[in-house]
Amino acid sequence: MKRIYFVMVMMLAAVGLKAQSIQDQEFAKANFYYNESKYDSALMVYEGIMKGGMVSAPLLYNIGNTYFKMRNYPMAILNYEKALKLDPTDEDIRQNLTIANALITDKIEPLPEFFLAKWWKNLGNTFTANGWAIATLILFGFLLLLLYFYFTARTSGLKKTTFFTGIIVFLLLICSVIIALQKYRYMKSRDEAIIMKPTITVKSSPSSSGVDLFVLHEGTKVTILDTDRDWDKIKIADGSVGWLPSSSSIKY
């Protein structure tokens, strides 16, 4: 029975390696098409990889670059934003997103952030969600080690050192857990969207008969606050709020 179990495990591992090898080959093929300026072919292969179940920041980044070369800036922005959501530490993604945003019509000045909120956001972006999960495990292990040294210490000086160090590590652990949970919820959320219509009028209510408030153009990022039937209540970076048809944007 043990031998059969071992063989099954090895077979599953081989299947996994084979699948990974195929994905790597497809990724290399798409990169080749991209470098040869065959952007339609590259996009087809990249999106085929994603439909096969592989989603990663590098893949979304390459899809964004392909759309950018095809001058489809809204789709480029969408994929850069999705890539940045997975890996906020990647400066190449952030830089290309900035370039793409400079090429769309709407230039919205964001509201100033409270310095503590901005600091907390920047702290969270120092690691990916997986990075914060690993940091949490490391801090938890270190805390257990400090507890061991505290209860086995033979001198009061060592007890005091491990006690106060433990407090600091415990506080860092709490922060790490909070950030990791926030990152996980953010990755699973779909409350942001990119406008895909060339021009769309934001309404005061979820109805085509609502009062016209302002106009948005393709490529603009919005936050989804609420949904009512086929309408989304949105907010833009400057704090303005209104309603748009759900079909006018793609959520991520």
Side-chain angles (χ1 to χ4, degrees):
M1 179 63 72
K2 288 183 178 179
R3 182 178 177 83
I4 294 173
Y5 176 76
F6 175 75
V7 171
M8 290 178 65
V9 170
M10 292 303 294
M11 288 176 65
L12 288 172
V15 170
L17 289 173
K18 180 68 173 177
Q20 184 62 43
S21 176
I22 292 172
Q23 286 180 339
D24 291 343
Q25 290 173 12
E26 290 294 291
F27 199 76
K29 182 197 294 184
N31 289 344
F32 172 78
Y33 285 140
Y34 179 88
N35 292 329
E36 292 294 314
S37 300
K38 298 178 180 178
Y39 302 122
D40 289 331
S41 299
L43 186 60
M44 188 180 302
V45 179
Y46 283 136
E47 293 187 335
I49 296 171
M50 194 160 60
K51 288 177 182 177
M54 176 186 170
V55 179
S56 66
L59 176 59
L60 291 166
Y61 174 67
N62 283 12
I63 292 174
N65 286 341
T66 306
Y67 274 117
F68 186 90
K69 289 291 187 180
M70 297 168 71
R71 299 181 184 276
N72 188 338
Y73 302 126
M75 287 300 297
I77 290 170
L78 174 66
N79 282 280
Y80 289 146
E81 288 282 4
K82 290 166 71 174
L84 204 59
K85 198 170 187 177
L86 293 179
D87 187 1
T89 67
D90 194 310
E91 289 301 322
D92 289 335
I93 300 173
R94 199 176 297 277
Q95 181 179 1
N96 283 17
L97 176 60
T98 301
I99 294 170
N101 278 325
L103 296 173
I104 62 175
T105 302
D106 295 332
K107 304 293 187 293
I108 301 170
E109 190 69 27
L111 291 173
E113 285 185 288
F114 183 54
F115 78 96
L116 284 178
K118 187 176 181 179
W119 173 82
W120 184 259
K121 182 179 177 181
N122 289 336
L123 177 63
N125 287 337
T126 54
F127 297 115
T128 63
N130 287 338
W132 278 110
I134 292 170
T136 299
L137 291 175
I138 292 172
L139 287 169
F140 181 70
F142 189 35
L143 183 61
L144 291 179
L145 187 63
L146 287 170
L147 286 173
Y148 170 78
F149 281 124
Y150 176 78
F151 287 113
T152 58
R154 296 182 178 180
T155 63
S156 59
L158 184 58
K159 274 187 174 292
K160 286 181 180 179
T161 300
T162 53
F163 176 77
F164 288 111
T165 305
I167 290 176
I168 294 171
V169 172
F170 178 74
L171 293 174
L172 291 174
L173 176 62
I174 295 299
C175 291
S176 182
V177 169
I178 292 172
I179 294 174
L181 290 174
Q182 287 179 338
K183 283 289 181 183
Y184 177 78
R185 284 197 297 266
Y186 177 62
M187 285 180 61
K188 294 296 181 182
S189 68
R190 284 172 53 84
D191 57 359
E192 294 175 314
I194 303 297
I195 302 296
M196 289 295 155
K197 296 288 185 181
T199 303
I200 189 76
T201 301
V202 180
K203 299 288 186 175
S204 62
S205 60
S207 169
S208 55
S209 61
V211 175
D212 294 349
L213 296 179
F214 51 92
V215 174
L216 293 177
H217 301 85
E218 59 182 0
T220 300
K221 178 181 176 179
V222 299
T223 300
I224 308 296
L225 301 177
D226 195 8
T227 300
D228 186 350
R229 301 184 301 277
D230 297 327
W231 289 78
D232 292 327
K233 187 177 183 180
I234 60 97
K235 182 170 74 171
I236 58 177
D238 66 2
S240 300
V241 175
W243 291 86
L244 285 176
S246 299
S247 59
S248 63
S249 66
I250 297 180
K251 299 179 181 67
Y252 66 93

